[in-house]
């Protein structure tokens, strides 16, 4: 490792340094300005208390309030469970899709892959609203169940529940889990499976011992790419969640927009960010352990 | 590496600048410079910031023609609450006239966001009903004048409830479990429960508020959603059967579905008055005052109320208001309800913080164990 020149290697020729600076400078600056700086401003807000428009003062009251307010902790925990369920369902649904695309789809592979991605081109909001129409009292699902005769009157419980939130989120995120698993499976050396078969390994055994372990980095990447954004989700619970689907992100939004308590909103956001840190460590660790 | 301290210095400056509005919340933006060109030569424009669909478009057209002022009508993205940070921080374009709900005026005034009205240019103030003048929100009407008023009530689908409703307690009838939309605004939802429990919605008794909080937590299964000012749409779509809504929002729907009803409950209800105010940095205050005075003309005020079906605060307009509306108790309530209309009072920062904490508890409590 020591022999590879790093961007700031003092022995690198000046011209190369300049080139690197030219390439790395703008994105670094953008990250500092538009990501690190706002994060710092947000962190500073947490050391104030009060509301926008009501006057703010420097104090640790916001920390005290957050520490004592068990309602906020419960909500964060519930949101984590919703995100966890969503991520796991996404993997269960996306794995067979990716597996089929890599091993069975043959020439149709790219066409099918495109078809999976196309819905993601439409507005996120529109896709969630579509689920509102599907799950509603006079929605598609209720109408169908009535027609089949499984229910006698429209079930009002489909919409405005935690299940509705999870169903909608799973629908939205499945393609984003299928892609990393697809990539991991495709990278796999298929000759390993042939060798296993030659040595008498039955297909399910080969899957468990070869395919599954080799695809785990993709599974972990997929898991995190769902878990992290859905933990702070607020649009989906707002539209299809009702009172039982309320998530931590809804309360953050409520603090910023309605209650105008920016200090508490900032602190809640930072706590969520900190809660996600172990996830990043898990990701790095899994990359080291699972990478062939 | 030696450049870093320099960069750091710059960053600290940037942070300091970014924090300015937070630290000095009373700091004011400098007044916008007066236009240097003579107004007569320039076509003037009037920029209004208001709720979506909260104007009779014909009024804007007639005003434009009569005064030669072009009107730009901007709307709040979702609710007026979202507009407060925008107005306070001056993030969005400058408006000449904003229409805001009464409870917001305290915040705007505290932050010196409003410009005093030049009342000599608004003689039509004389047309207004004294009930809506000199209120707790703006003593002496230094900054604002009433636009429309409305009251909260229960909107419901009688085909689903099977009976007429007349009490806030009906929202918590077990027969309607899971079919009720309350309001995602603590002062409104707590206010309704406080009224039901026999208290004032403006109580500063923590015990009474805690009772309301416990009531909401215990009746969690009753509530489908805390709606964000779209309860009437949920009712029309059949997602819920009972909603807390403003009469104006509901009345527009009653014609679409004959099963829908609106009632102002017998315990009394919340009154909301929307006001016209001029932001401190309005580019053209005289144009805004011209518009306010125009809107307070008897027939113009009636044209607004006849279109929106909210009640007019303009006494002189009443004879021009459609007779059916004038006699509709859901718009102009009978004396016994009118005596029990409560404005939402500003209860102060400390008590607001208490309410917010109670509200967070209510929000987190509604989680069914699956």
């Amino acid at each position: 490792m020591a022999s590879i020149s790093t961007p700031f290697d003092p022995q690198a020729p000046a011209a190369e340094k300049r080139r690197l600076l030219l390439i790395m400078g703008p994105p670094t600056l953008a990250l500092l300005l538009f990501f690190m700086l706002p994060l710092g401003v947000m962190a500073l807000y947490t050391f104030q208390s009060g509301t926008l428009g009501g006057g703010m003062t420097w104090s640790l009251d916001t920390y005290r309030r957050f520490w004592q307010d068990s309602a906020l902790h419960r909500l964060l925990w519930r949101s984590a469970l919703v995100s966890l369920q969503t991520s796991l369902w996404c993997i269960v649904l996306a794995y067979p899709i990716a597996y089929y695309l890599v091993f069975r789809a043959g020439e149709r592979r790219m066409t099918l892959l495109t078809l999976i991605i196309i819905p993601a081109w439409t507005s996120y909001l529109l896709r969630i609203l579509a689920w509102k129409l599907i799950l509603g009292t006079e929605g598609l699902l209720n109408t169908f169940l009535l027609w089949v005769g499984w229910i006698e009157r429209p079930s009002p419980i489909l919409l405005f529940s935690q299940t509705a939130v999870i169903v909608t989120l799973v629908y939205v995120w499945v393609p984003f889990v299928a892609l990393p698993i697809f990539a991991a499976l495709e990278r796999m050396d298929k000759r390993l499976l042939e060798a296993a078969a030659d040595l008498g390994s039955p297909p399910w055994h080969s899957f468990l011992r070869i395919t599954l372990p080799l695809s785990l980095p993709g599974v972990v990447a997929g898991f995190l790419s769902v878990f992290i954004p859905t933990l702070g989700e607020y649009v989906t619970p707002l539209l299809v969640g009702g009172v039982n689907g309320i998530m931590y992100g809804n309360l953050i939004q409520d603090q910023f927009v309605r209650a105008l308590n920016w200090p508490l909103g900032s602190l809640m956001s930072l706590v969520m960010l900190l809660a996600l840190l172990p996830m990043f460590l898990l990701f790095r660790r899994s990359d080291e352990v699972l990478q062939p | 590496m030696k450049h870093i301290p320099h960069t750091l210095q710059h960053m600290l400056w940037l942070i300091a600048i970014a924090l300015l509005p937070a630290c000095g919340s009373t700091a004011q933006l400098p007044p916008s410079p007066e236009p240097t060109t003579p107004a007569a030569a320039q076509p003037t424009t009037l920029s209004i910031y208001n709720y979506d669909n909260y104007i009779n478009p014909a009024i804007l057209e007639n005003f434009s023609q009569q005064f030669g002022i072009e009107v730009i009508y901007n709307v709040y993205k979702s609710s007026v609450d979202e507009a407060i940070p925008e107005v306070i921080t001056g993030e969005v374009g400058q408006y000449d006239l904003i229409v805001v709900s009464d409870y917001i005026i305290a915040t705007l005034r505290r932050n010196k966001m409003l410009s005093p009205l030049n009342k000599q240019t608004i003689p039509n103030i004389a047309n207004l009903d004294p009930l809506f003048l000199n209120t707790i929100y703006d003593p002496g009407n230094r900054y604002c004048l009433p636009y429309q008023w409305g009251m909260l009530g229960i909107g419901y689908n009688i085909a689903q409830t099977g009976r007429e409703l007349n009490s806030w307690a009906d929202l918590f009838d077990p027969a309607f479990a899971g079919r009720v939309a309350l309001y995602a605004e603590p002062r409104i939802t707590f206010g309704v429960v406080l009224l039901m429990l026999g208290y004032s919605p403006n109580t500063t008794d923590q015990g009474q508020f805690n009772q309301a909080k416990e009531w909401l937590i215990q009746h969690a299964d009753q509530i489908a959603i805390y709606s964000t000012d779209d309860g009437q749409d949920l009712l029309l779509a059949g997602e819920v059967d009972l909603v807390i809504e403003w009469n104006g929002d509901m009345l527009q729907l009653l014609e679409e579905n004959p099963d829908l009803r609106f009632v102002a409950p017998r315990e009394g209800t919340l009154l909301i008055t929307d006001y016209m105010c001029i932001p401190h940095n309005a580019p053209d205050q005289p144009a805004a005052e011209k518009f306010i005075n125009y809107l307070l003309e008897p027939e113009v005020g009636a044209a607004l109320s006849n279109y929106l079906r909210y009640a007019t605060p303009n006494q002189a307009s009443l004879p021009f208001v459609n007779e059916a509306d004038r006699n509709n108790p859901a718009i102009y309530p009978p004396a016994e309800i009118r005596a029990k209309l409560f404005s939402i009072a500003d209860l102060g920062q400390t008590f607001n913080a208490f309410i917010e904490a109670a509200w967070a508890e209510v929000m987190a409590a509604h989680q069914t164990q699956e």
Side-chain angles (χ1 to χ4, degrees):
Chain A
M1 289 299 275
S3 63
I4 298 170
S5 72
T6 59
F8 297 106
D9 184 352
Q11 270 141 41
E16 195 179 325
K17 259 194 195 165
R18 253 200 312 278
R19 206 166 55 236
L20 268 169
L21 199 68
L22 210 67
I23 297 169
M24 296 306 295
T28 310
L29 198 70
L31 265 180
L32 280 176
L33 265 181
F34 302 120
F35 187 72
M36 293 312 289
L37 183 66
L39 208 61
V41 170
M42 215 168 79
L44 282 177
Y45 264 117
T46 64
F47 294 106
Q48 302 185 29
S49 66
T51 57
L52 182 75
M56 291 198 229
T57 47
W58 296 97
S59 81
L60 291 175
D61 280 355
T62 303
Y63 281 85
R64 228 165 280 142
R65 154 93 202 270
F66 185 87
W67 180 254
Q68 287 166 355
D69 200 334
S70 64
L72 304 179
H73 311 160
R74 274 205 307 280
L75 214 51
L76 180 58
W77 176 242
R78 299 287 309 179
S79 299
L81 289 181
V82 168
S83 295
L84 185 70
Q85 289 178 65
T86 304
S87 314
L88 293 179
W89 276 110
C90 278
I91 290 168
V92 167
L93 291 174
Y95 201 97
I97 295 173
Y99 188 90
Y100 177 83
L101 285 176
V102 172
F103 292 100
R104 299 279 186 273
E107 284 173 2
R108 288 169 300 163
R109 175 198 287 193
M110 284 328 278
T111 320
L112 291 175
L113 195 65
T114 315
L115 282 178
I116 289 173
I117 297 170
I118 279 179
W121 293 353
T122 49
S123 151
Y124 182 65
L125 210 58
L126 213 61
R127 279 176 287 154
I128 298 169
L129 280 171
W131 273 98
K132 199 174 174 178
L133 294 179
I134 294 171
L135 299 172
T137 309
E138 288 167 19
L140 212 60
L141 198 57
N142 263 320
T143 316
F144 176 75
L145 291 176
L146 275 174
W147 180 70
V148 176
W150 282 5
I151 52 175
E152 277 168 17
R153 44 175 300 168
S155 164
I157 56 158
L158 297 171
L159 195 63
F160 299 147
S161 65
Q162 206 170 69
T163 315
V165 174
I166 294 172
V167 166
T168 308
L169 286 175
V170 166
Y171 161 77
V172 169
W173 288 100
V174 156
F176 298 95
V177 181
L179 285 178
I181 299 177
F182 173 86
L185 285 174
E186 196 170 51
R187 266 205 313 269
M188 199 182 109
D189 189 345
K190 310 294 184 297
R191 287 173 307 181
L192 290 172
L193 293 175
E194 286 166 22
D198 285 348
L199 294 170
S201 164
W204 63 268
H205 197 250
S206 301
F207 173 79
L208 283 182
R209 296 295 298 274
I210 301 169
T211 314
L212 190 61
L214 285 177
S215 65
L216 275 184
V219 171
V220 173
F223 175 85
L224 291 175
S225 70
V226 177
F227 188 88
I228 292 171
T230 50
L231 185 60
E233 178 65 64
Y234 81 92
V235 178
T236 309
L238 188 72
L239 290 174
V240 302
V243 287
N244 296 313
I246 291 171
M247 286 175 75
Y248 190 68
N250 293 96
L251 227 62
I252 294 180
Q253 193 246 7
D254 198 42
Q255 292 308 321
F256 275 103
V257 174
R258 188 194 52 75
L260 297 182
N261 193 335
W262 288 15
L264 185 60
S266 301
L267 183 59
M268 289 176 73
S269 308
L270 278 186
V271 167
M272 190 178 78
L273 216 59
L274 288 177
L276 284 171
L277 270 185
M279 289 283 160
F280 288 106
L281 298 179
L282 171 83
F283 187 45
R284 272 185 51 188
R285 180 100 186 96
S286 75
D287 234 25
E288 286 162 18
V289 174
L290 301 170
Q291 212 56 256
Chain B
M1 289 301 269
K2 65 176 169 231
H3 282 106
I4 280 186
H6 209 79
T7 326
L8 246 176
Q9 223 172 36
H10 279 139
M11 270 191 61
L12 287 175
W13 267 113
L14 275 170
I15 291 173
I17 291 166
L19 277 179
L20 265 182
C23 312
S25 59
T26 48
Q28 257 201 54
L29 296 173
S32 58
E34 290 294 318
T36 44
T37 43
Q42 293 290 97
T44 29
T45 57
L46 172 74
S47 187
I48 299 176
Y49 202 25
N50 196 352
Y51 294 89
D52 200 3
N53 290 322
Y54 199 39
I55 187 79
N56 179 346
I59 291 177
L60 299 183
E61 248 171 69
N62 291 342
F63 176 77
S64 283
Q65 280 174 7
Q66 200 171 323
F67 292 87
I69 296 173
E70 192 198 338
V71 181
I72 304 165
Y73 188 79
N74 312 279
V75 299
Y76 303 134
K77 282 191 292 292
S78 64
S79 74
V80 68
D81 290 330
E82 215 154 295
I84 308 178
E86 289 179 351
V87 173
I88 291 176
T89 57
E91 270 166 42
V92 283
Q94 297 165 342
Y95 302 107
D96 297 305
L97 185 73
I98 55 174
V99 175
V100 293
S101 299
D102 43 25
Y103 65 96
I104 286 165
I105 293 175
T107 309
L108 292 176
R109 270 179 45 207
R110 198 162 41 228
N111 290 277
K112 303 188 168 53
M113 287 295 133
L114 300 177
S115 176
L117 298 170
N118 183 4
K119 288 190 197 151
Q120 277 93 40
T121 60
I122 315 173
N124 284 337
I125 289 177
N127 293 338
L128 286 163
D129 182 340
L131 185 69
F132 301 96
L133 290 173
N134 201 16
T135 56
I136 48 172
Y137 303 108
D138 182 21
N141 291 84
R142 273 192 72 203
Y143 300 98
C144 306
L145 286 169
Y147 181 74
Q148 294 278 277
W149 67 275
M151 58 183 175
L152 204 66
I154 302 175
Y156 64 102
N157 186 328
I158 200 162
Q160 298 296 328
T161 60
R163 65 180 174 91
E164 288 199 352
L165 311 180
N166 68 352
S167 162
W168 290 118
D170 290 330
L171 291 170
F172 302 97
D173 181 337
F176 312 140
R179 305 297 296 161
V180 179
L182 300 186
Y183 213 97
E185 164 64 56
R187 289 301 304 281
I188 291 179
T189 288
F190 279 137
V192 160
V193 177
L194 285 167
L195 275 169
M196 185 193 74
L197 296 172
Y199 305 131
S200 159
N202 292 324
T203 180
T204 48
D205 181 332
Q206 295 201 349
Q208 294 178 350
F209 253 98
N210 280 332
Q211 253 177 286
K213 178 187 80 185
E214 289 305 322
W215 178 277
L216 285 168
I217 291 171
Q218 278 162 20
H219 293 81
D221 293 343
Q222 193 73 17
I223 305 152
I225 187 169
Y226 287 99
S227 71
T228 49
D229 203 20
D230 62 347
Q232 74 273 26
D233 298 332
L234 298 174
L235 184 66
L236 189 66
E239 303 304 354
V240 293
D241 299 327
L242 295 86
V243 298
I244 295 182
E245 256 307 338
W246 299 105
N247 53 350
D249 288 353
M250 277 303 303
L251 287 165
Q252 289 170 6
L253 291 195
L254 298 188
E255 286 147 22
E256 289 184 48
N257 182 345
D259 288 332
L260 298 186
R261 297 281 188 281
F262 175 86
V263 63
R266 59 164 190 258
E267 294 93 343
T269 187
L270 297 173
L271 162 78
I272 196 161
T273 312
D274 288 332
Y275 284 86
M276 302 178 272
C277 314
I278 301 178
H280 71 96
N281 55 353
D284 194 346
Q285 177 157 354
E289 282 160 351
K290 262 182 211 152
F291 184 80
I292 292 175
N293 194 53
Y294 176 72
L295 204 91
L296 296 180
E297 295 279 346
E299 289 181 45
V300 179
L304 183 66
S305 288
N306 284 337
Y307 186 85
L308 298 176
R309 309 202 60 205
Y310 270 102
T312 182
N314 193 333
Q315 278 177 324
S317 291
L318 275 174
F320 302 99
V321 170
N322 292 338
E323 202 182 332
D325 285 350
R326 208 165 53 222
N327 298 326
N328 188 341
I331 302 178
Y332 298 95
E336 64 265 27
I337 296 283
R338 202 177 146 111
K340 286 188 257 178
L341 291 177
F342 293 86
S343 299
I344 302 173
D346 184 8
L347 301 182
Q349 291 298 304
T350 319
F351 203 75
N352 281 345
F354 166 77
I355 297 174
E356 285 299 334
W359 184 244
E361 266 187 78
V362 170
M363 289 287 106
H366 294 86
Q367 307 269 351
T368 44
Q369 302 297 323
E370 285 171 42

